[in-house]
Amino acid sequence: MTFHAPEISKRQNNRATYAAFTTHIERLCRTDPGARAALRAGLRRDLDHPRTRPMHRLLTPRLPDGCDDTTAQAHYTVASLIAAQPRHAFAPDQKDDEDTADEHATAENQAPNEEGGPAKEAAPPGPTPYGTSFGAALGNAVTAKGKPMRMSAAESRINLLTRQSLRGIHLHLPAAVNQVRTTGIVIDWGQLLADLVDWQYQPGRVSRRWLQDFYRITAGADQD
């Protein structure tokens, strides 16, 4: 499918908004243990569950204006997934401060325009409306050095996830995220948030992308 410029621009703008949200959540979890505990308590719970009540104060100011419950649930789920990471994931030396992170983002945006600068290997030609999908994260977990995820386990997991309803994907993601995290693979939280928001409208498209990304990366992996 060919994406027209307005759609690409819209997706890129949404990705920037989602990335800003997840960056804020990571920073909040790193600096405020109480907030991290409150966000972690919302794992696998819907918006009206009593355990999610403390999350409203933390997340409501960061939600898109006028968003529906499904979009809000996507934000709550990703915030909980981020908060549920091991404590060492939020160590100060694991994350740049806000100013340094902004400098890195600016440098990355300018890099393709620098004459003679090295091209990013994974970057396709022209603008892309997508980031790194969770299917790609699972694929990278299979090919990771050290303690990779078994191909059979990862394939079972990706097939399970891509068959889920909207409610099901929120319930099954925590276990899958834990499996990926144990291999040291970094998850693109902003893209995961974008995909959860889109799941209610285009589950087939999101699932297909996850599967294609997974099999593209694991094509040369050993079958166990």
Side-chain angles (χ1 to χ4, degrees), residues 142-222:
V142 172
T143 60
K145 296 180 180 179
K147 295 182 178 180
M149 190 174 178
R150 290 187 298 111
M151 177 63 182
S152 59
E155 190 169 28
S156 295
R157 183 63 67 180
I158 190 68
N159 284 325
L160 175 65
L161 290 174
T162 53
R163 291 197 303 265
Q164 294 304 311
S165 64
L166 182 61
R167 176 60 177 160
I169 191 66
H170 286 274
L171 292 175
H172 285 279
L173 264 175
V177 166
N178 285 340
Q179 286 180 298
V180 171
R181 285 284 308 171
T182 59
T183 67
I185 295 300
V186 176
I187 295 171
D188 185 339
W189 298 115
Q191 185 58 51
L192 180 57
L193 175 54
D195 286 344
L196 289 181
V197 171
D198 285 346
W199 202 278
Q200 63 175 321
Y201 306 110
Q202 300 173 324
R205 175 188 286 185
V206 177
S207 296
R208 172 174 54 81
R209 284 191 54 246
W210 286 20
L211 287 165
Q212 289 177 334
D213 289 346
F214 175 79
Y215 285 114
R216 187 177 297 113
I217 291 171
T218 60
D222 294 334

Side-chain angles (χ1 to χ4, degrees), residues 48-157:
D48 297 325
H49 193 282
R51 295 292 297 276
T52 64
R53 291 177 63 88
M55 298 177 69
H56 302 324
R57 175 180 63 85
L58 299 169
L59 300 185
T60 300
R62 295 282 172 171
L63 296 178
D65 291 338
C67 74
D68 57 22
D69 285 354
T70 303
T71 299
Q73 183 68 68
H75 285 74
Y76 277 55
T77 293
V78 171
S80 295
L81 289 170
I82 293 173
Q85 295 178 99
R87 184 179 303 175
H88 63 75
F90 304 105
D93 61 349
Q94 298 295 315
K95 185 72 176 178
D96 292 329
D97 60 28
E98 185 172 359
D99 292 338
T100 305
D102 289 341
E103 291 174 3
H104 287 179
T106 301
E108 289 177 359
N109 290 335
Q110 293 176 345
N113 298 324
E114 294 176 357
E115 186 175 354
K120 295 182 179 179
E121 293 182 1
T128 173
Y130 296 119
T132 303
S133 74
F134 190 71
L138 274 169
N140 287 328
V142 172
T143 60
K145 296 180 180 179
K147 295 182 178 180
M149 190 174 178
R150 290 187 298 111
M151 177 63 182
S152 59
E155 190 169 28
S156 295
R157 183 63 67 180

